[in-house]
Short mmCIF file of all heavy atoms in Angstrom, two decimals:
data_model
loop_
_atom_site.label_atom_id
_atom_site.label_comp_id
_atom_site.label_asym_id
_atom_site.label_seq_id
_atom_site.Cartn_x
_atom_site.Cartn_y
_atom_site.Cartn_z
N VAL B 328 163.06 90.14 -199.07
CA VAL B 328 164.12 91.07 -199.11
C VAL B 328 164.11 91.88 -200.52
O VAL B 328 164.43 93.01 -200.55
CB VAL B 328 165.48 90.29 -199.05
CG1 VAL B 328 166.59 91.24 -199.23
CG2 VAL B 328 165.60 89.69 -197.66
N SER B 329 163.58 91.15 -201.46
CA SER B 329 163.61 91.78 -202.83
C SER B 329 162.45 92.55 -203.13
O SER B 329 161.59 92.63 -202.37
CB SER B 329 163.78 90.54 -203.82
OG SER B 329 162.52 89.79 -203.79
N HIS B 330 162.39 93.12 -204.36
CA HIS B 330 161.25 93.65 -204.93
C HIS B 330 160.29 92.56 -205.13
O HIS B 330 160.72 91.34 -205.35
CB HIS B 330 161.53 94.42 -206.19
CG HIS B 330 162.42 95.57 -206.05
ND1 HIS B 330 162.19 96.63 -205.15
CD2 HIS B 330 163.65 95.88 -206.61
CE1 HIS B 330 163.21 97.55 -205.31
NE2 HIS B 330 164.10 97.01 -206.12
N HIS B 331 158.93 92.88 -205.33
CA HIS B 331 157.96 91.88 -205.55
C HIS B 331 158.37 91.10 -206.91
O HIS B 331 158.31 89.89 -207.01
CB HIS B 331 156.61 92.37 -205.69
CG HIS B 331 155.56 91.49 -206.29
ND1 HIS B 331 155.09 90.30 -205.66
CD2 HIS B 331 154.86 91.55 -207.51
CE1 HIS B 331 154.25 89.75 -206.39
NE2 HIS B 331 154.11 90.47 -207.59
N SER B 332 158.66 91.86 -207.92
CA SER B 332 159.03 91.37 -209.16
C SER B 332 159.85 92.43 -209.93
O SER B 332 160.04 93.48 -209.39
CB SER B 332 157.78 90.96 -210.04
OG SER B 332 157.14 92.14 -210.52
N THR B 333 160.13 92.08 -211.21
CA THR B 333 160.93 93.04 -211.92
C THR B 333 160.02 94.30 -212.32
O THR B 333 160.52 95.28 -212.79
CB THR B 333 161.46 92.41 -213.24
OG1 THR B 333 160.44 91.70 -213.85
CG2 THR B 333 162.63 91.53 -212.86
N SER B 334 158.68 94.08 -212.19
CA SER B 334 157.67 95.10 -212.50
C SER B 334 157.52 95.99 -211.28
O SER B 334 156.53 96.91 -211.28
CB SER B 334 156.44 94.58 -213.04
OG SER B 334 156.67 93.69 -214.07
N ASP B 335 158.22 95.93 -210.24
CA ASP B 335 157.84 96.42 -208.82
C ASP B 335 159.12 97.17 -208.35
O ASP B 335 160.21 96.65 -208.37
CB ASP B 335 157.34 95.51 -207.94
CG ASP B 335 157.23 95.98 -206.56
OD1 ASP B 335 156.53 96.97 -206.33
OD2 ASP B 335 157.73 95.32 -205.60
N ASP B 336 158.96 98.45 -207.86
CA ASP B 336 160.00 99.06 -207.13
C ASP B 336 159.60 99.22 -205.74
O ASP B 336 158.72 100.06 -205.35
CB ASP B 336 160.25 100.52 -207.78
CG ASP B 336 161.34 101.32 -206.85
OD1 ASP B 336 161.83 100.58 -206.01
OD2 ASP B 336 161.40 102.45 -207.06
N SER B 337 160.02 98.38 -204.83
CA SER B 337 159.38 98.23 -203.42
C SER B 337 159.79 99.35 -202.61
O SER B 337 159.19 99.60 -201.62
CB SER B 337 159.83 96.97 -202.93
OG SER B 337 161.14 96.91 -202.50
N PHE B 338 160.77 100.25 -203.06
CA PHE B 338 161.03 101.46 -202.26
C PHE B 338 159.97 102.51 -202.37
O PHE B 338 160.03 103.48 -201.75
CB PHE B 338 162.41 101.91 -202.65
CG PHE B 338 163.49 100.91 -202.46
CD1 PHE B 338 164.49 100.67 -203.41
CD2 PHE B 338 163.59 100.17 -201.21
CE1 PHE B 338 165.39 99.67 -203.20
CE2 PHE B 338 164.52 99.18 -201.08
CZ PHE B 338 165.46 98.97 -202.00
N ALA B 339 159.00 102.30 -203.25
CA ALA B 339 157.89 103.24 -203.20
C ALA B 339 156.94 102.99 -202.06
O ALA B 339 156.18 103.78 -201.84
CB ALA B 339 157.13 102.96 -204.65
N TYR B 340 157.10 101.88 -201.37
CA TYR B 340 156.13 101.64 -200.28
C TYR B 340 156.84 101.10 -199.02
O TYR B 340 156.18 100.79 -198.05
CB TYR B 340 155.06 100.68 -200.63
CG TYR B 340 155.47 99.39 -201.28
CD1 TYR B 340 155.93 98.38 -200.60
CD2 TYR B 340 155.46 99.33 -202.74
CE1 TYR B 340 156.33 97.17 -201.24
CE2 TYR B 340 155.92 98.14 -203.38
CZ TYR B 340 156.40 97.10 -202.58
OH TYR B 340 156.76 95.93 -203.22
N ARG B 341 158.19 101.03 -198.99
CA ARG B 341 158.79 100.62 -197.80
C ARG B 341 160.36 101.30 -197.86
O ARG B 341 160.68 101.49 -198.89
CB ARG B 341 158.81 99.03 -197.61
CG ARG B 341 159.73 98.33 -198.73
CD ARG B 341 159.71 96.87 -198.45
NE ARG B 341 160.48 96.22 -199.49
CZ ARG B 341 160.82 94.93 -199.53
NH1 ARG B 341 160.13 94.12 -198.62
NH2 ARG B 341 161.51 94.39 -200.49
N ALA B 342 160.80 101.48 -196.59
CA ALA B 342 162.03 102.17 -196.58
C ALA B 342 163.25 101.27 -196.97
O ALA B 342 163.31 100.11 -196.62
CB ALA B 342 162.23 102.70 -195.06
N ARG B 343 164.13 101.88 -197.75
CA ARG B 343 165.34 101.13 -198.02
C ARG B 343 166.13 100.66 -196.85
O ARG B 343 166.59 99.53 -196.86
CB ARG B 343 166.27 102.12 -198.81
CG ARG B 343 167.22 101.32 -199.79
CD ARG B 343 168.08 102.52 -200.51
NE ARG B 343 167.32 102.97 -201.59
CZ ARG B 343 167.50 102.55 -202.95
NH1 ARG B 343 168.30 101.59 -203.15
NH2 ARG B 343 166.84 103.05 -203.97
N VAL B 344 166.09 101.36 -195.81
CA VAL B 344 166.85 101.09 -194.63
C VAL B 344 166.31 99.75 -193.98
O VAL B 344 167.03 98.98 -193.49
CB VAL B 344 166.97 102.22 -193.65
CG1 VAL B 344 165.53 102.72 -193.27
CG2 VAL B 344 167.65 101.86 -192.36
N GLU B 345 164.87 99.63 -194.08
CA GLU B 345 164.26 98.44 -193.45
C GLU B 345 164.88 97.15 -194.18
O GLU B 345 165.08 96.16 -193.64
CB GLU B 345 162.83 98.63 -193.63
CG GLU B 345 161.93 97.39 -193.17
CD GLU B 345 160.41 97.52 -193.57
OE1 GLU B 345 159.87 98.57 -193.45
OE2 GLU B 345 159.79 96.43 -193.91
N VAL B 346 164.81 97.21 -195.48
CA VAL B 346 165.31 96.16 -196.36
C VAL B 346 166.71 95.80 -196.01
O VAL B 346 167.01 94.62 -195.78
CB VAL B 346 165.08 96.52 -197.84
CG1 VAL B 346 165.59 95.23 -198.64
CG2 VAL B 346 163.58 96.83 -198.12
N GLU B 347 167.69 96.90 -196.03
CA GLU B 347 168.97 96.64 -195.79
C GLU B 347 169.21 95.99 -194.45
O GLU B 347 170.03 95.14 -194.11
CB GLU B 347 169.84 98.11 -195.72
CG GLU B 347 169.84 98.68 -197.19
CD GLU B 347 170.56 97.69 -198.11
OE1 GLU B 347 171.44 97.02 -197.78
OE2 GLU B 347 170.09 97.63 -199.37
N ASP B 348 168.34 96.43 -193.44
CA ASP B 348 168.45 95.92 -192.16
C ASP B 348 168.22 94.35 -192.13
O ASP B 348 168.92 93.66 -191.42
CB ASP B 348 167.43 96.72 -191.19
CG ASP B 348 167.60 96.36 -189.76
OD1 ASP B 348 168.73 96.09 -189.31
OD2 ASP B 348 166.59 96.20 -189.11
N TRP B 349 167.21 94.05 -192.79
CA TRP B 349 166.77 92.60 -192.89
C TRP B 349 167.89 91.78 -193.54
O TRP B 349 168.26 90.71 -193.11
CB TRP B 349 165.48 92.41 -193.56
CG TRP B 349 164.35 92.44 -192.59
CD1 TRP B 349 163.54 93.50 -192.33
CD2 TRP B 349 163.93 91.34 -191.70
NE1 TRP B 349 162.58 93.06 -191.31
CE2 TRP B 349 162.75 91.77 -191.01
CE3 TRP B 349 164.47 90.05 -191.59
CZ2 TRP B 349 162.10 90.97 -190.05
CZ3 TRP B 349 163.64 89.15 -190.70
CH2 TRP B 349 162.62 89.72 -189.89
N LYS B 350 168.44 92.46 -194.60
CA LYS B 350 169.41 91.79 -195.44
C LYS B 350 170.57 91.47 -194.46
O LYS B 350 171.14 90.39 -194.46
CB LYS B 350 169.84 92.63 -196.38
CG LYS B 350 169.43 92.31 -197.93
CD LYS B 350 170.00 93.09 -198.91
CE LYS B 350 169.63 93.04 -200.26
NZ LYS B 350 170.04 94.15 -201.21
N ARG B 351 170.98 92.51 -193.70
CA ARG B 351 172.23 92.26 -192.80
C ARG B 351 171.94 91.44 -191.59
O ARG B 351 172.65 90.52 -191.22
CB ARG B 351 172.64 93.86 -192.37
CG ARG B 351 174.03 93.96 -192.49
CD ARG B 351 174.49 95.29 -191.92
NE ARG B 351 173.44 96.04 -191.08
CZ ARG B 351 172.77 97.01 -191.62
NH1 ARG B 351 172.96 97.53 -192.82
NH2 ARG B 351 171.82 97.75 -190.81
N ARG B 352 170.79 91.64 -191.03
CA ARG B 352 170.49 91.01 -189.73
C ARG B 352 170.35 89.56 -189.90
O ARG B 352 170.99 88.79 -189.09
CB ARG B 352 169.15 91.54 -189.20
CG ARG B 352 168.82 91.17 -187.76
CD ARG B 352 167.78 92.06 -187.17
NE ARG B 352 166.65 92.31 -188.07
CZ ARG B 352 165.51 92.82 -187.67
NH1 ARG B 352 165.25 92.83 -186.37
NH2 ARG B 352 164.54 92.94 -188.53
N ASP B 353 169.58 89.13 -190.80
CA ASP B 353 169.29 87.67 -190.90
C ASP B 353 168.94 87.21 -192.33
O ASP B 353 168.05 87.95 -192.95
CB ASP B 353 168.32 87.33 -189.89
CG ASP B 353 168.17 85.80 -189.64
OD1 ASP B 353 169.19 85.16 -189.87
OD2 ASP B 353 167.11 85.36 -189.13
N ASN B 354 169.47 86.11 -192.63
CA ASN B 354 168.85 85.50 -193.87
C ASN B 354 169.28 83.99 -193.91
O ASN B 354 170.22 83.61 -193.25
CB ASN B 354 169.18 86.32 -195.18
CG ASN B 354 170.48 85.84 -195.78
OD1 ASN B 354 170.74 84.69 -196.02
ND2 ASN B 354 171.36 86.93 -196.08
N PRO B 355 168.54 83.21 -194.58
CA PRO B 355 168.69 81.77 -194.51
C PRO B 355 170.07 81.26 -195.00
O PRO B 355 170.50 80.21 -194.43
CB PRO B 355 167.54 81.19 -195.31
CG PRO B 355 167.15 82.38 -196.19
CD PRO B 355 167.41 83.54 -195.56
N ILE B 356 170.56 81.92 -195.99
CA ILE B 356 171.89 81.31 -196.59
C ILE B 356 173.05 81.73 -195.56
O ILE B 356 173.76 80.83 -195.30
CB ILE B 356 172.08 82.14 -197.98
CG1 ILE B 356 170.99 81.75 -198.97
CG2 ILE B 356 173.46 81.73 -198.45
CD1 ILE B 356 171.04 82.32 -200.27
N ILE B 357 173.03 83.00 -195.11
CA ILE B 357 174.13 83.34 -194.18
C ILE B 357 174.04 82.37 -192.89
O ILE B 357 174.93 81.87 -192.38
CB ILE B 357 174.10 84.83 -193.84
CG1 ILE B 357 174.42 85.59 -195.11
CG2 ILE B 357 174.97 85.08 -192.64
CD1 ILE B 357 174.30 87.06 -194.89
N ARG B 358 172.85 82.28 -192.47
CA ARG B 358 172.62 81.37 -191.22
C ARG B 358 173.26 80.03 -191.44
O ARG B 358 174.00 79.53 -190.53
CB ARG B 358 171.19 81.39 -190.79
CG ARG B 358 171.10 81.52 -189.35
CD ARG B 358 169.77 81.04 -188.76
NE ARG B 358 168.74 82.15 -188.88
CZ ARG B 358 167.59 82.07 -188.18
NH1 ARG B 358 167.32 80.99 -187.50
NH2 ARG B 358 166.80 83.09 -188.33
N LEU B 359 172.92 79.31 -192.50
CA LEU B 359 173.44 78.00 -192.69
C LEU B 359 174.80 77.98 -192.94
O LEU B 359 175.71 77.12 -192.53
CB LEU B 359 172.62 77.34 -193.89
CG LEU B 359 173.02 75.79 -194.05
CD1 LEU B 359 172.80 75.00 -192.77
CD2 LEU B 359 172.41 75.14 -195.34
N ARG B 360 175.40 79.16 -193.66
CA ARG B 360 176.78 79.17 -193.80
C ARG B 360 177.56 79.21 -192.56
O ARG B 360 178.66 78.65 -192.47
CB ARG B 360 177.08 80.49 -194.67
CG ARG B 360 178.61 80.79 -195.05
CD ARG B 360 178.85 81.82 -195.91
NE ARG B 360 180.24 82.23 -195.84
CZ ARG B 360 180.69 83.38 -196.43
NH1 ARG B 360 179.91 84.11 -197.04
NH2 ARG B 360 182.06 83.50 -196.41
N LYS B 361 177.07 80.09 -191.71
CA LYS B 361 177.71 80.07 -190.32
C LYS B 361 177.78 78.75 -189.60
O LYS B 361 178.68 78.30 -189.11
CB LYS B 361 176.91 80.97 -189.37
CG LYS B 361 177.16 82.54 -189.80
CD LYS B 361 176.50 83.56 -188.89
CE LYS B 361 176.78 85.01 -189.27
NZ LYS B 361 175.73 85.87 -188.78
#
Side-chain angles (χ1 to χ4, degrees):
Chain B
V328 175
S329 64
H330 300 302
H331 165 70
S332 73
T333 48
S334 310
D335 171 51
D336 173 12
S337 69
F338 301 132
Y340 51 80
R341 60 180 185 180
R343 200 179 281 265
V344 58
E345 175 190 323
V346 179
E347 289 304 322
D348 188 35
W349 268 100
K350 254 189 191 166
R351 224 184 13 255
R352 191 162 42 159
D353 194 17
N354 87 52
I356 297 180
I357 291 176
R358 222 196 272 194
L359 185 60
R360 181 179 165 182
K361 285 178 179 165

